[in-house]
């Protein structure tokens, strides 16, 4: 059995915020969607939106490895969710750069 790949390269162009009041509960809600460019296995480019958890609402545009997990939504559907974003191809800074220099 092969390992499950749960990280994907995405290019976040912007993060859009939406908010409102739930008709059902009367409670306020906030939603953050990353506007993304995704390159598929066939090298085809696709553009879409990726729902971000509130903990990642301050994400800046750039290339990321997105860690994807599974969750169940309010309609009992199993859906993919972002559980982490890691900058991709960024040059190390500060302590990381010092550690790389010590290895060389």
């Amino acid at each position: 059995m092969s390992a499950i790949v749960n990280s994907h390269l995405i290019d976040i162009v912007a993060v859009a915020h939406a908010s409102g009041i739930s008709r059902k509960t009367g409670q306020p809600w906030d939603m953050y969607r990353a506007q993304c460019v995704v390159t598929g296995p066939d090298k085809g480019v696709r553009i879409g939106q990726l729902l971000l958890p509130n903990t990642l609402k301050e994400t800046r545009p750039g290339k990321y490895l997105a860690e994807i997990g599974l969750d169940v939504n309010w309609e009992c559907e199993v859906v993919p969710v972002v559980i982490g974003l890691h900058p991709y191809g960024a040059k190390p800074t500060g302590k990381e750069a010092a550690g790389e220099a010590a290895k060389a």
Side-chain angles (χ1 to χ4, degrees), residues 89-93 96-97:
K91 293 182 180 178
T93 59
E96 294 173 7

Side-chain angles (χ1 to χ4, degrees), residues 4-24:
I4 296 172
V5 176
N6 67 352
S7 61
H8 303 275
L9 181 61
I10 61 172
D11 190 356
I12 295 177
V13 179
V15 175
H17 174 247
S19 63
I21 304 293
S22 168
R23 288 186 212 167
K24 188 174 182 178

Side-chain angles (χ1 to χ4, degrees), residues 25-38:
T25 66
Q27 296 296 313
W29 57 267
D30 285 297
M31 189 178 296
Y32 298 90
R33 287 198 167 124
Q35 312 299 314
C36 301
V37 177
V38 179

